[in-house]
Structure formats: C-alpha cells, structure tokens
Amino acid sequence: MQVRDIMTQATITESPQDSLRSAAERMWRQQTGSLLVADAGNLIGIITERDLLRAVALGADPDKTTVDDAMTAEVYTVPPDMPLQDAAREMATRWIRHLPVVDDGKLLGVVSMRDVTGVFGAMRTGPVRVEHEFDQLVRERRLARIEHGDLD
C-alpha cells in the first residue's frame, strides 16, 4: 500500500496573512488538524493545531498574529508512491501528524496520523474491522452538526 492510496484532499489557507483566529475557525469548520499554506500554488508551510496552541500559549493575539508568523516553514513532504509503512515510520520518528504529499513540486494531498491508524487497524486480522470510509462518514456528520449549530 502506498501513500497515494489513503491520502485525502488537503485543506489550504486562503493566505499566509490570515489571522490565527481565521485559521482556527477554518480548521474547526473543516474538522481538520492542519492547514497547508501555499503561495502561488507552491507549498510554503503548514500550520497545525499544535502551532496554534503554542502561539496562543506564548501570548500571540489570535486576531493580530498571522498564519505565517506561527506556521512551520520547513515542511517534510513525501511522494505519492512512498510505501505507507515508511510514511508512518517517518511520522512517528519526526513526531508529526500531518504529512503533505507532493509530486514534482505539485501538492497532491495530505496523509494524517488518523488516516494511517485507520488503515493499519483495518489490516488487523480477527473480528475487528475498521473501514476507512467510516472515518469520512464520521467527519461528514460532525461537519453537518457544526453547520446546524449543534455544538457539543
């Protein structure tokens, strides 16, 4: 199994100049833990939940601090044909949960730790069966609840 087999569409910021609040709101609406930051179609960074938490914990004003002030600019990426097990190993070694998939400089998607654990869980033999599509259904239900104001 390769990265391309489980990658999902990446959520991208509108602009590196978006506020941290705007980025957090977009992550919440999209139910994602990261936003890829692109400029003229080129990947220039990633901002994750951890980046947002760190910035706010260190005193950043979410309305005045921009994404490019808090993002990780040196992004580790993988090609779509990388074996999934190798990508999972890289994620664990680097302590990252979101891995952009890039081919010839073009951003194709992203693989999250949630994607990886879902697939590896489905590979387990025995009575437990996890469907990758199930994760998408859960995400869609969560998005529907948010859109209708049914917040926990």
Side-chain angles (χ1 to χ4, degrees), residues 4-6 9 13 27 52 59 68 89 92 115 122 130 148:
R4 79 175 79 227
D5 298 322
I6 71 159
Q9 182 177 355
T13 60
M27 283 184 198
L52 288 169
D68 63 347
R89 188 176 301 110
D115 298 328
V130 178
H148 291 88

Side-chain angles (χ1 to χ4, degrees), residues 1 5-6 8 114-124 126-139 141:
M1 182 170 291
D5 298 322
I6 71 159
T8 58
R114 182 178 296 148
D115 298 328
V116 172
T117 56
V119 168
F120 288 158
M123 292 174 149
R124 175 177 152 69
V128 177
R129 182 167 170 89
V130 178
E131 299 280 338
H132 185 59
E133 291 78 18
F134 177 77
D135 184 55
Q136 186 64 28
L137 291 174
V138 170
R139 186 169 187 254
R141 287 184 192 136

Side-chain angles (χ1 to χ4, degrees), residues 3-4 12 19-20 36 38 40 61 66 72 86 90-91 93-94 97 110-111 119 122 129-130 138 141-142 145 147-148:
V3 167
R4 79 175 79 227
I12 302 175
S19 70
L20 292 184
L36 298 180
D61 180 337
T66 60
T72 299
D86 293 348
E90 290 293 335
M91 293 171 87
T93 302
R94 297 169 185 274
R97 295 183 290 176
V110 67
V111 172
V119 168
R129 182 167 170 89
V130 178
V138 170
R141 287 184 192 136
R142 290 178 75 190
R145 280 195 356 246
E147 289 173 6
H148 291 88

Side-chain angles (χ1 to χ4, degrees), residues 44-92:
I44 61 169
I46 186 172
I47 187 158
T48 67
E49 295 163 315
R50 287 187 208 170
D51 294 327
L52 288 169
L53 287 171
R54 181 184 64 239
V56 172
L58 294 175
D61 180 337
D63 293 312
K64 295 180 181 170
T65 306
T66 60
V67 166
D68 63 347
D69 290 331
M71 72 182 188
T72 299
E74 293 182 25
V75 182
Y76 179 76
T77 64
V78 297
D81 60 350
M82 176 181 259
L84 185 57
Q85 187 170 0
D86 293 348
R89 188 176 301 110
E90 290 293 335
M91 293 171 87

